[in-house]
Amino acid sequence: MNIGMVVPYEDMGEFGVRIGQENGIHVSYIVGESSNGVARARELIARDHVEAIVARNPVHHFLRRELDIPVISLDISSMDLLRAIRKIDPGKRVGFFHVDEDSEMYATVLQELQEITGHQIEIIRIFGDFKYDLESRNYLGRKEYMQIRRCDALITSTPTTGKFYESVGKQVEYIGAEPYQIYCAIMNAVDSVNVRNREIQNTRLTELALNSTSDGFIVLNGDRVIMLNDNLCRLAGMDKETILHKSSQELMGRSVFLRQVLQTARKSIVCHQNVQYSVFRRTVSMEKGEGEKLELISIINVPNIQRTETSIRKALDKRGFDAKWHFEDIVSHGSAIEEAIRKARQYAKAESNVLILGESGTGKEMFAQSIHNASSFAKGPFVAINCAALPESLLESELFGYEGGA
């Protein structure tokens, strides 16, 4: 596993490398900060094929927006801040840069550090993309620049920032990193890579399973497609890239077949190129209770089902299917079950259809086979059919018969 670090100082990166060596992890680093952090991170990815990056703010926030691999924050701890502030000359007003996302995290800590050190600390927020014009040495955020001018000193983990304000006569102290903070960040990066790899593997297995069937599948999160299989693309006549992450409205305007499929409320039969397809749509939750809702749509080729069902029926007719259970095999301890057996024996003598109702696991199959074996049809085949697996259009022929060759 390769973990990368974008660090403001060489020694911070070297310490990360040593931690990696001690824990059997390949860690490499590159020096970068807010002005070039994204470019340097991409250089590190291309050079060392890193699977996750550890970076300090504000670089961390920029990388998370730009990269598609895990980016872990190397947090600035209260001890890191305290060490830097204690180096500032007594009585000086201290400035500290941070991005808006970290406002709540630092406000309480810096208030406590003011009381401990006696320094007055000015929190300088970085709004949006913060940049420096290095040639003219002009800090482009005017509001923040006015704040820093009221400060006599600056604590920072960004060398470019420090050098600029040193050049205008400010005392600058650089914020280091505790060894334990670096260790935790690297371990968090390893965990993130493992989780990401498992998710990628699960996604590939899911895609493999979906692509192994002749049916079409499409999954919606809200109004957007988040997963589909190759057969759906073939039916729609479109590449996967042109369907994935697109909205339903956009797709319905580009494909007649997808319009029919996506407009299905629950289940229906659609015709495409003179072939009938059974469309089933259902809502599932990612988690129990109030989890994220997904829409699963399956498109099943009706003629394929009919051919499969017919071949299975013919095979069963040839070899028969024996019912192995008899009433004598049902062990009962109670009047209710004894009464049910008594009634079932009576129904077995009739030639009418019998409907057996009961919850899962209560023995409906045993009663069905026992009735069959006690009836005048006992020498004939006992054919079990999973009605839930068949569309409504085929259930009719199963329950009421069909014409050979139909």
Side-chain angles (χ1 to χ4, degrees), residues 220 223-225 241-248 250-251 254:
L220 302 175
D223 188 51
R224 295 199 171 271
V225 177
E241 291 72 19
T242 60
I243 301 176
L244 200 60
H245 306 307
K246 301 298 190 299
S247 69
S248 297
E250 181 179 354
L251 293 173
R254 299 174 63 180

Side-chain angles (χ1 to χ4, degrees), residues 41-55:
R42 287 182 173 143
E43 181 182 339
L44 182 63
I45 294 170
R47 186 189 75 192
D48 298 333
H49 307 288
V50 299
E51 300 168 81
I53 284 183
V54 173

Side-chain angles (χ1 to χ4, degrees), residues 383-397:
V383 182
I385 297 171
N386 182 5
C387 297
L390 297 176
E392 293 180 1
S393 58
L394 296 183
L395 280 178
E396 183 177 354
S397 65

Side-chain angles (χ1 to χ4, degrees), residues 4-6 30-32 36-50 53 59 62-69 71:
M5 297 182 68
V6 178
I30 199 165
V31 175
N36 64 355
V38 174
R40 297 292 275 165
R42 287 182 173 143
E43 181 182 339
L44 182 63
I45 294 170
R47 186 189 75 192
D48 298 333
H49 307 288
V50 299
I53 284 183
V59 178
F62 300 153
L63 297 186
R64 287 188 65 182
R65 292 199 295 261
E66 298 293 332
L67 303 181
D68 58 359
I69 63 173
V71 179

Side-chain angles (χ1 to χ4, degrees), residues 173-203:
E173 296 296 339
Y174 294 96
I175 303 170
E178 291 184 87
Y180 182 68
Q181 294 294 116
I182 298 176
Y183 169 81
C184 289
I186 291 174
M187 293 300 107
N188 287 339
V190 171
D191 291 341
S192 296
V193 171
N194 288 333
V195 170
R196 185 170 185 261
N197 288 341
R198 285 196 296 270
E199 290 176 349
I200 292 173
Q201 183 180 25
N202 289 338
T203 299

Side-chain angles (χ1 to χ4, degrees), residues 11-79:
D11 57 349
M12 190 179 294
E14 291 295 339
F15 199 89
V17 171
R18 289 198 298 273
I19 290 176
Q21 291 172 345
E22 293 169 0
N23 292 274
I25 304 165
H26 182 267
V27 176
S28 57
Y29 72 91
I30 199 165
V31 175
E33 49 187 284
S34 54
S35 59
N36 64 355
V38 174
R40 297 292 275 165
R42 287 182 173 143
E43 181 182 339
L44 182 63
I45 294 170
R47 186 189 75 192
D48 298 333
H49 307 288
V50 299
E51 300 168 81
I53 284 183
V54 173
R56 193 156 239 186
N57 287 331
V59 178
H60 163 259
H61 291 288
F62 300 153
L63 297 186
R64 287 188 65 182
R65 292 199 295 261
E66 298 293 332
L67 303 181
D68 58 359
I69 63 173
V71 179
I72 307 302
S73 173
L74 176 55
D75 295 328
I76 298 175
S77 70
S78 57
M79 287 302 299

